[in-house]
Structure formats: C-alpha cells, structure tokens
Amino acid sequence: MCHVKLEKIKVVLNDQVVLDEVDISINKGDRLVLLGPSGCGKTTLLRLIAGFCAPRQGRVLIDGRPVSESGRIIVPPEDRGIGFVFQDLALWPHLSVYGNLEFCLKARGVPGPERARRIGELLDMTDLKGLEKRRPSTLSGGQQQRVALARALVARPGLVLMDEPLSSLDWELRDKLCERIVSLQGRLGFTLVYVTHDKEETRRLATRVALMTGGRLECIGLTSDFLK
C-alpha cells in the first residue's frame, strides 16, 4: 500500500487554474473518494497523482518520495507503481482478455510462468475465467469493467486510481462492482483513490471523502461525516 501527499498544488491548463492550493494526505489503505460536480478538478487531481501532468507549483509525494514538483515530472507514470482504471476503460481492442492483462506484465519484465500465475489469480478474483480468449468488443459492459479492473491490479500496484469507471452502468451492476472493488482491496492490499459525483457509489466505497468545488479541496473527512 502507498501513502500519497499533495502539497500546495496549483495546476494551470490553457491559462485556466484547474487546481488551486490543494493539500491532501492519502493514508495507506485508504479508499478515498474525490466527490464533486463535473469540472471541479477531480480528474485532473487523479492525473496529477498518476504522472500524466505536472503542477505549476507544489509537489506530489508517494511514500515520501517526490514524484512531481513545480512543473517537473520527476518519476514518470510507468515507474510509479500505480494501477489506473479510466472512465472509458481504454481496453486494447485488438487483444484478448488474457492479452490485455499479459501486456502489462510483459512491459514490466515479469517472466512467463509468473505472468500466467498472476493472470489466473486475477481472472478468478474477477469471475472472468472462461473469457480469456474473448476480445473486449464481444463482452458486456460489466464484463469489460471487470477486465479493466483486473488489468489495473495484475501488476500488484500499491496504489490504484479510478476515474468514474462505473458511470455507464445501471445501478444494480454498479452496486455489485462496488462490492467487488472493496473485496479486492481487502484481498490484495492497495490504496484506492476513486473519482465520482455519485453519492451512492461514495457510500459503498469510501472510508474517507474529499469534497471538491471549483478546483479547491473544500473539506475531507470520514464517510459518515458526509453521508448521514
């Protein structure tokens, strides 16, 4: 599990301040939900942690190590040990379910037998056994979500970032996938930062909630403090 700290963060995109004076500490094992309306800076904050952009000022630390600071990306995304589930899932359409998971491990130099073991483990955990040879376009929405989740976890990251991954699903399926995410975190042990504007997802997932508006962090606290 990873500890993440953002100090005095300011992000400017296209001459617009997107994040302004954001300070936040994300504890090891947290399931922190970034909650707020569209355009408030949630996704930018997630991309900042991932290393897809750098702050104009301030710094990002992972386990006490600066990874971005004052316009510089010190540690690139591929070296941060992070799993990411994008809103549009971004599955590779030309690869099978197995291939989507294997690609991540090949890129990290994981040997063949260990790749097979880890992929088998995640296929079991996400109920994807039997779908290994299928391509994403042949799967249901819920199955695609589980492939994206398995791909994010197969490299055993200490930190997982999720950007509204369930927004396109009906509530019954979202509810089941929320349960699965919580279960997987308990089994695999990772810190989770999850972006949503949905209070029910927040209720099911979060141990802590960070409320954002207009590029600022308004407040942060236990889920019970926000959703009574």
Side-chain angles (χ1 to χ4, degrees), residues 205-222:
L205 286 170
T207 54
R208 290 200 301 157
V209 178
L211 183 63
M212 296 186 66
T213 56
R216 289 182 173 269
L217 179 64
E218 295 296 330
C219 50
I220 184 169
L222 299 175

Side-chain angles (χ1 to χ4, degrees), residues 7-68:
E7 298 178 340
K8 302 296 182 185
I9 292 294
K10 183 174 184 177
V11 173
V12 179
L13 300 174
N14 299 321
D15 296 324
Q16 180 180 357
V17 177
V18 182
L19 293 174
D20 192 16
E21 292 294 316
V22 173
D23 282 286
I24 189 169
S25 182
I26 304 167
N27 301 321
K28 290 185 177 183
D30 257 356
R31 293 195 304 273
L32 178 73
V33 169
L34 302 176
L35 181 65
S38 297
C40 72
K42 304 186 302 295
T43 293
T44 300
L45 195 150
L46 214 63
R47 290 174 57 82
L48 184 72
I49 296 171
F52 300 145
C53 62
R56 171 74 62 89
Q57 67 182 44
R59 62 178 185 166
V60 180
L61 300 96
I62 296 179
D63 288 337
R65 177 190 183 190
V67 294
S68 297

Side-chain angles (χ1 to χ4, degrees), residues 55-124:
R56 171 74 62 89
Q57 67 182 44
R59 62 178 185 166
V60 180
L61 300 96
I62 296 179
D63 288 337
R65 177 190 183 190
V67 294
S68 297
E69 185 171 8
S70 300
R72 295 186 302 133
I73 293 176
I74 301 169
V75 179
E78 63 270 20
D79 294 332
R80 295 192 182 190
I82 293 174
F84 204 116
V85 182
F86 299 88
Q87 186 173 10
D88 64 359
L89 304 185
L91 297 173
W92 293 297
H94 63 290
L95 296 177
S96 65
V97 170
Y98 192 98
N100 266 271
L101 273 61
E102 186 178 41
F103 184 90
C104 300
L105 297 179
K106 280 184 175 180
R108 289 166 173 77
V110 178
E114 177 65 8
R115 290 202 304 266
R117 189 186 70 78
R118 290 195 194 183
I119 292 169
E121 181 180 65
L122 260 299
L123 291 173
D124 277 337

Side-chain angles (χ1 to χ4, degrees), residues 158-177:
L159 173 65
V160 178
L161 310 176
M162 299 189 185
D163 187 9
E164 299 196 65
L166 310 182
S167 59
S168 64
L169 303 177
D170 63 61
W171 173 244
E172 183 177 358
L173 189 50
R174 283 159 61 196
D175 187 46
K176 290 178 180 177
L177 284 168

